[in-house]
Amino acid sequence: MPSKKAPFPPKQPMHQLPKTPTGITGLDEITMGGLPTGRPTLVCGSAGCGKTLMSIEFIVRGAIEFNEPGVFIAFEEKAEELATNVASLGFDLNELQQQKKIKIDYIHVDRSEIEETGEYDLEGLFIRLNYAIDSIGAKRVVLDTIESLFSGLTNQSILRAELRRLFQWLKNKGVTAIITGERGEKTLTRQGLEEYVSDCVILLDHRIINQISTRRLRVVKYRGTTHGTNEYPFLIDEDGISVLPVTSLKLDKPVSSDRFPSGIPALDKMLSKGGFFRGSSILVSGTAGTGKTSMAASFCNEACLRGEKCLFFAFEESPAQIIRNMRSIGIDLQKHVDKGLLKFYASRPTLHGLEMHLVAIHKAIKNFKPDMVVVDPITNLITIGSVSDVKSMLVRLIDFLQEEQISVIFTALTLNLVVNEQTDEGVSSLVDAWLLIRDIELNGERNRGLYIMKSRGMKHSNQVREFVISDDGLDLIDVYIGPDGILTGSAREAQVLMEETGQVLHTHAVDFKDRELLRKRKVLESRIESLKSEFESTEAELNKTYIEDAIKKDVLQQNREKLSNLRGKSFYDIDTTKSKNKKSKK
Amino acid sequence: MGKEYELRLYVAGKTAKSVTALNNLKKYCEEHLKGKYSIEVIDLLVQPQLAEGDQILAIPTLVKKVPEPVRKIIGDLSNEEKVLVGLDIRPKK
């Protein structure tokens, strides 16, 4: 028999067990590469847990993504039924059959038609299988559900011997096979198939806790290789199965020192770095109606304005409702939605279990590749799980987001005032920054006060700010701290007005004094002026007497000279006495 | 064919079981349906594609195509009673 091994990832060293990737999201991570190549794998679980779907996805993905043709032997459903059932997942079985990439063979076992007499074997089944495998060169085989044979045939000892032979034969044939089996009471499968298929066993489970169902998957055993041993939740949706390989326990995430602003400048100013770190997680908590969603929307809006992609998980309001409400505070989210920068993912928390939400969130994030994620609010998830469940889910979500360097904003409702200093869902220790919006009740009105409880890696203001939501958006205002304590809202406004009045009065008084001074100065100045002129006139009078005296003296002198000239030399003595007299007079 | 009983025996090579089955079948038919039957032996090793049509799993399988209803008898046909009931020759007790 040709026993071609399926190609396996080259990163695996040769001595390791070769594995065949299933192409099922997450399953290959858990099994560290896929199912064992050339060996049968048992997929078991109770009714409706997704065995058939998982096996058909294995075949289809193998045919489409890995170019490995596959044979699907259906014991329960006809080929057409199967094709119809998986058409909703976007698998076109008929076309794949025509392209000879897959082959579906329906084996019908009807007890009423069959009479058993004497010895027989199942060579017919082998021949059919062999024919089907060879006709398309199949590398993958699914037998769904081989246990139907037990209901159709009565001779158990022959059946068991033949099944053992069948699995051996499949190994020899070198095909990677999935055998599905119904879960039994105490054993993994009703007919104890796990005895025969011992290389790899995957258990699917569909559990309902508090009326909410969660599908889980566990690799019970995988011989010759390591594998994830936990129970992993998985989701069946329009893209098939997604398993979530959650809880990476390492703490070696890359960190970024890039900052992004919040869209509220005043909030950025409260942080020493002018914004939050990229890839960090921010918790906004507060009592009802404190504007948590508005705050989250503001972050969103700012991110979209920067041209970044944003994913909004709404667990409380519908997208249309959020868009309408945010428009009222001047944040237009619709234009971002139109541009494809913002996407809403709204679902009721009770739609499925926590784990399923996590899977769904993962998927949405992987598809949309956002730069920022908003979860609004995380408190609603508490309705479907205990606090510790929610916490473990959020740990994993934060973990994942940090790995992807996506910033995340959580909003949380603090249920009552007594516990609001307590951690919200216990996540406050996980998040990097925590904004607490608190009602401040004073003078018969409620106002919002915002604190930054913590912000890792940067200094931040320790003061409360009044958080104001207006038509123009969100803003933070410094609260008034005065002799009467902290004032907010209209009390703050009143205080501000009062101060303004005082200011005006004061200015007025100062003005008045200034004018008075001016007047006085003018009076004094005029007085100085008059004194000055008085002094001048006195001075002028004094001068006048001096000049008159001088003039008189001159004239007398002249007269005397004239007289002496007239009398001649004889009068000289007289003249001298006279001049002597005059001198003594002086 | 036009026979009252159309029987097909599916075998895979000439195994002991197949040979026994064919011999048994011929014996019963000669005894109970002389002249009213036809037997077609199909070797699936030669024509594997025919296994699908009659939903053959076990080997050997005897298929009664005519008269209706279609019945299958698997095994080496060693129990005559069961074969005759299965072929509706004898009513079920």
Side-chain angles (χ1 to χ4, degrees):
Chain A
M1 292 282 157
S3 165
K4 270 192 210 155
K5 295 272 187 273
F8 47 84
K11 62 181 175 192
Q12 279 188 343
M14 278 308 286
H15 63 269
Q16 276 193 5
L17 188 76
K19 291 181 183 179
T20 298
T22 57
I24 295 171
T25 321
L27 183 59
D28 294 337
E29 275 94 350
I30 294 169
T31 54
M32 321 242 166
L35 303 179
T37 301
R39 297 187 189 190
T41 296
L42 178 65
V43 175
C44 50
S46 47
C49 67
K51 300 184 295 289
T52 303
L53 193 74
M54 176 170 276
S55 45
I56 195 100
E57 200 175 335
F58 169 68
I59 291 288
V60 172
R61 299 232 179 263
I64 296 173
E65 291 171 21
F66 304 104
N67 202 20
E68 291 189 3
V71 170
F72 192 94
I73 307 286
F75 290 90
E76 284 178 333
E77 292 171 288
K78 286 186 176 151
E80 305 84 64
E81 288 170 351
L82 207 58
T84 319
N85 292 351
V86 299
S88 59
L89 304 179
F91 299 154
D92 191 347
L93 294 187
N94 294 329
E95 200 190 321
L96 286 169
Q97 287 214 76
Q98 275 166 18
Q99 294 169 355
K100 297 227 169 236
K101 282 186 173 165
I102 65 168
K103 187 171 168 67
I104 297 174
D105 203 350
Y106 170 59
I107 295 186
H108 175 69
V109 191
D110 188 348
R111 195 162 204 161
S112 66
E113 284 183 1
I114 295 175
E115 202 70 56
E116 292 177 40
T117 134
E119 290 284 301
Y120 59 91
D121 56 37
L122 294 182
E123 191 61 32
L125 175 66
F126 284 73
I127 287 168
R128 282 177 71 170
L129 206 48
N130 192 36
Y131 176 67
I133 290 171
D134 288 348
S135 66
I136 58 166
K139 300 244 172 25
R140 298 174 179 217
V141 170
V142 168
L143 301 173
D144 178 56
T145 311
I146 199 143
E147 288 182 323
S148 310
L149 288 178
F150 285 90
S151 62
L153 303 170
T154 48
N155 196 329
Q156 297 264 325
S157 55
I158 290 180
L159 262 179
R160 292 195 179 277
E162 287 298 287
L163 281 182
R164 196 176 288 274
R165 189 160 73 94
L166 176 68
F167 296 139
Q168 197 55 52
W169 180 83
L170 285 171
K171 274 192 190 180
N172 293 342
K173 190 90 183 156
V175 290
T176 308
I178 287 185
I179 291 112
T180 63
E182 198 83 4
R183 181 133 197 217
E185 289 286 318
K186 281 178 184 158
T187 50
L188 285 177
T189 57
R190 209 171 279 170
Q191 304 298 342
L193 289 178
E194 62 271 22
E195 286 174 36
Y196 312 111
V197 189
S198 49
D199 289 309
C200 182
V201 179
I202 294 172
L203 180 65
L204 304 184
D205 189 19
H206 194 182
R207 234 176 289 165
I208 293 173
I209 302 165
N210 294 337
Q211 303 165 14
I212 288 159
S213 80
T214 309
R215 295 172 194 273
R216 289 166 203 267
L217 174 150
R218 182 162 72 97
V219 180
V220 178
K221 99 184 206 185
Y222 198 155
R223 199 172 271 180
T225 175
T226 52
H227 59 86
T229 49
N230 293 348
E231 275 195 323
Y232 301 97
F234 72 95
L235 180 68
I236 297 178
D237 63 5
E238 60 275 8
D239 300 320
I241 291 176
S242 331
V243 192
L244 188 62
V246 281
T247 341
S248 84
L249 294 171
K250 289 173 281 180
L251 279 172
D252 53 357
K253 313 287 179 305
V255 289
S256 165
S257 345
D258 279 2
R259 262 112 29 204
F260 66 89
S262 62
I264 306 171
L267 177 59
D268 298 333
K269 272 193 207 134
M270 289 175 79
L271 301 161
S272 67
K273 307 273 186 186
F276 296 96
F277 286 122
R278 191 171 298 282
S280 66
S281 43
I282 300 154
L283 174 70
V284 181
S285 74
T287 45
T290 45
K292 300 179 294 296
T293 305
S294 309
M295 175 78 91
S298 159
F299 272 98
C300 247
N301 184 47
E302 187 67 20
C304 291
L305 288 176
R306 286 196 302 270
E308 292 176 0
K309 279 159 89 181
C310 202
L311 193 53
F312 199 116
F313 292 95
F315 291 122
E316 213 166 44
E317 296 172 279
S318 71
Q321 210 177 344
I322 293 174
I323 290 171
R324 182 201 65 193
N325 295 349
M326 290 310 123
R327 197 171 286 142
S328 74
I329 57 164
I331 295 176
D332 185 7
L333 296 176
Q334 184 62 48
K335 68 172 187 234
H336 303 313
V337 174
D338 295 342
K339 264 194 227 160
L341 288 172
L342 176 63
K343 203 170 164 187
F344 282 96
Y345 176 93
S347 68
R348 281 267 159 220
T350 44
L351 180 67
H352 32 229
L354 275 179
E355 303 289 0
M356 301 306 272
H357 275 296
L358 191 53
V359 177
I361 289 175
H362 263 237
K363 257 192 75 155
I365 290 171
K366 287 242 152 127
N367 284 343
F368 190 62
K369 296 190 174 47
D371 299 290
M372 185 186 286
V373 167
V374 174
V375 183
D376 177 48
I378 53 172
T379 1
N380 260 21
L381 297 170
I382 200 82
T383 51
I384 48 167
S386 68
V387 172
S388 69
D389 286 348
V390 175
K391 183 174 179 181
S392 86
M393 174 211 165
L394 291 172
V395 170
R396 288 186 277 179
L397 180 61
I398 292 173
D399 227 36
F400 166 70
L401 290 169
Q402 277 188 341
E403 206 150 294
E404 307 275 318
Q405 280 290 293
I406 299 169
S407 320
V408 59
I409 322 290
F410 296 111
T411 68
L413 176 72
T414 37
L415 295 169
N416 63 55
L417 287 164
V418 184
V419 294
N420 75 353
E421 289 288 324
Q422 227 177 33
T423 53
D424 299 85
E425 270 57 68
V427 294
S428 61
S429 61
L430 302 170
V431 295
D432 297 318
W434 182 10
L435 307 179
L436 178 66
I437 308 174
R438 233 173 137 180
D439 270 333
I440 298 173
E441 214 175 306
L442 198 73
N443 296 337
E445 61 177 58
R446 303 189 112 182
N447 293 297
R448 306 175 179 94
L450 181 138
Y451 301 84
I452 297 180
M453 300 290 279
K454 76 170 188 184
S455 180
R456 282 182 186 151
M458 59 179 84
K459 284 203 277 287
H460 58 87
S461 165
N462 63 348
Q463 285 170 350
V464 63
R465 294 279 194 282
E466 190 177 345
F467 180 46
V468 180
I469 303 178
S470 68
D471 294 347
D472 310 321
L474 310 175
D475 202 4
L476 298 177
I477 299 173
D478 289 358
V479 292
Y480 179 84
I481 303 169
D484 303 334
I486 288 168
L487 298 178
T488 55
S490 54
R492 176 175 50 74
E493 293 284 339
Q495 189 66 36
V496 168
L497 281 179
M498 219 143 87
E499 285 196 348
E500 263 172 26
T501 320
Q503 191 67 37
V504 169
L505 283 176
H506 181 71
T507 324
H508 183 73
V510 168
D511 276 6
F512 184 77
K513 271 186 189 155
D514 277 355
R515 279 199 295 276
E516 185 68 35
L517 190 69
L518 206 68
R519 267 202 299 278
K520 258 195 184 147
R521 173 195 287 262
K522 269 184 185 161
V523 169
L524 283 174
E525 273 177 356
S526 58
R527 212 180 274 173
I528 289 170
E529 206 56 37
S530 72
L531 282 174
K532 240 187 201 167
S533 47
E534 208 172 299
F535 172 75
E536 269 170 15
S537 62
T538 320
E539 197 183 30
E541 223 156 278
L542 279 173
N543 282 348
K544 190 181 143 203
T545 354
Y546 281 135
I547 293 166
E548 274 175 1
D549 278 357
I551 292 171
K552 221 183 246 172
K553 200 177 124 188
D554 274 0
V555 171
L556 279 176
Q557 186 74 26
Q558 281 168 9
N559 285 349
R560 204 171 287 146
E561 278 175 18
K562 271 176 197 169
L563 275 176
S564 61
N565 284 341
L566 283 174
R567 282 181 196 170
K569 295 284 182 180
S570 58
F571 285 92
Y572 180 70
D573 298 330
I574 301 164
D575 187 50
T576 40
T577 50
K578 269 201 176 169
S579 63
K580 269 178 187 168
N581 289 344
K582 243 195 176 172
K583 267 175 194 170
S584 60
K585 243 184 172 175
K586 256 192 183 176
Chain B
M1 304 238 229
K3 297 281 184 189
E4 209 172 313
Y5 281 85
E6 283 177 28
L7 305 174
R8 259 186 219 169
L9 186 67
Y10 286 88
V11 295
K14 289 219 180 302
T15 60
K17 273 176 271 190
S18 308
V19 173
T20 320
L22 186 56
N23 290 340
N24 283 338
L25 180 63
K26 278 184 179 157
K27 193 175 81 193
Y28 306 144
C29 290
E30 281 303 308
E31 275 176 32
H32 303 279
L33 303 167
K34 200 165 172 52
K36 295 193 286 185
Y37 72 95
S38 63
I39 296 174
E40 188 186 358
V41 178
I42 295 170
D43 189 345
L44 290 179
L45 291 186
V46 184
Q47 296 167 292
Q49 70 278 14
L50 292 181
E52 210 171 316
D54 276 323
Q55 288 291 344
I56 304 305
L57 283 179
I59 290 294
T61 299
L62 172 65
V63 180
K64 178 193 67 152
K65 302 289 281 182
V66 175
E68 297 277 336
V70 174
R71 295 299 298 266
K72 287 180 202 157
I73 303 166
I74 59 176
D76 59 12
L77 311 178
S78 52
N79 186 329
E80 184 178 357
E81 190 64 29
K82 273 195 173 171
V83 177
L84 294 181
V85 171
L87 292 176
D88 292 326
I89 294 168
R90 216 174 263 180
K92 228 173 189 167
K93 280 179 222 163

